Each structure stands twice: as structure tokens, then as C-alpha cells.
Amino acid sequence: MEQSEVLKRVIGILTEAGDYRRRIEEDGERGPRDTEIGTVTALLNETMPRIEIPADATPQEMATLVAREVGGAIRQLVAAFSLAFVALAQVHDSGGQDVSSADVLQDLALRAEEAKGEGPEASED
């Protein structure tokens, strides 16, 4: 999955979490969170690679194989969450009250869409 797509999915998760928090604050609604959980699970299922472990692999070989295969996906997710956090933190730290977190995430999603097809990760598919 391209990094821009991972970033957009992370933004979706953060947006849903913000909406859920707002509903709780406004209405006291604490309904089921199936949507948020489903979105996170879907992202993990799509970013984590399928790993075939040979039946005769030792525990060390299994650990090495899993670390190698899963490491890239984890780096992608951490990078996307980190970028979203930094964007939100910069607005917070600037004290700007005229920009909401939803505005920041929307701008970040637009920039991710514009970046789609650019850079080295675009040729990996």
C-alpha cells in the first residue's frame, strides 16, 4: 500500500475517533464503537503482509522472518500516525483557535491525495 493511502486511512481513523469523542461530549452517547474498531482492523489487515513460515523453521528463523516482513508495514503506520500527530501538535502549539483538528486532518488528507503518484513509493505497486 502506498504511503499516501496509509496516511489517508490513518486520518480517517483519527477523524472517526474525534467524531466519537464529540458525540460523547455533546450527547453523552457511548454506543458501540464497532466502526472505529472495524476501520483499524481493516487498515491492519491491508497493511500487514501475509507471511508463510516454513514448517521446519526454528523460533529464531521465525522471529527474523516476521521482523523482516512486518517491519516495513509497521514503519509505514508509525510514519503516518507521527505525521498526523505533528500536524495537529503544530496547530495546537501555535495557539491558533481559528483552526480545528478536523480542518488540520482535512488539509493533511488533501496534501496526501496530491502527493499520491509522486515519490518512490508510487512505483512499488
Side-chain angles (χ1 to χ4, degrees):
M1 185 180 292
E2 290 183 21
Q3 186 64 31
S4 62
E5 184 62 27
V6 173
L7 178 58
K8 289 188 297 184
R9 299 287 296 278
V10 164
I11 291 166
I13 290 168
L14 295 174
T15 301
E16 285 181 15
D19 291 345
Y20 180 75
R21 180 191 55 88
R22 277 187 285 284
R23 285 193 311 270
I24 290 173
E25 289 175 354
E26 292 170 1
D27 307 330
E29 179 186 330
R30 291 190 183 271
R33 297 184 58 199
D34 293 342
T35 304
E36 290 87 352
I37 293 169
T39 305
V40 172
T41 301
L43 177 61
L44 290 173
N45 286 337
E46 291 176 20
T47 56
M48 292 298 151
R50 303 263 183 247
I51 303 171
E52 291 187 32
I53 299 174
D56 62 342
T58 66
Q60 182 60 39
E61 290 169 336
M62 283 192 301
T64 300
L65 179 63
V66 169
R68 185 179 65 233
E69 296 296 321
V70 175
I74 290 173
R75 281 190 296 277
Q76 261 191 323
L77 289 169
V78 169
F81 274 104
S82 297
L83 180 59
F85 173 81
V86 168
L88 291 164
Q90 286 176 333
V91 170
H92 175 271
D93 292 349
S94 73
Q97 304 232 345
D98 58 329
V99 179
S100 70
S101 60
D103 294 335
V104 173
L105 292 174
Q106 183 178 27
D107 180 63
L108 194 55
L110 290 172
R111 287 190 282 154
E113 184 61 31
E114 290 170 1
K116 188 176 184 178
E118 297 176 7
E121 69 273 357
S123 62
E124 289 179 1
D125 284 341

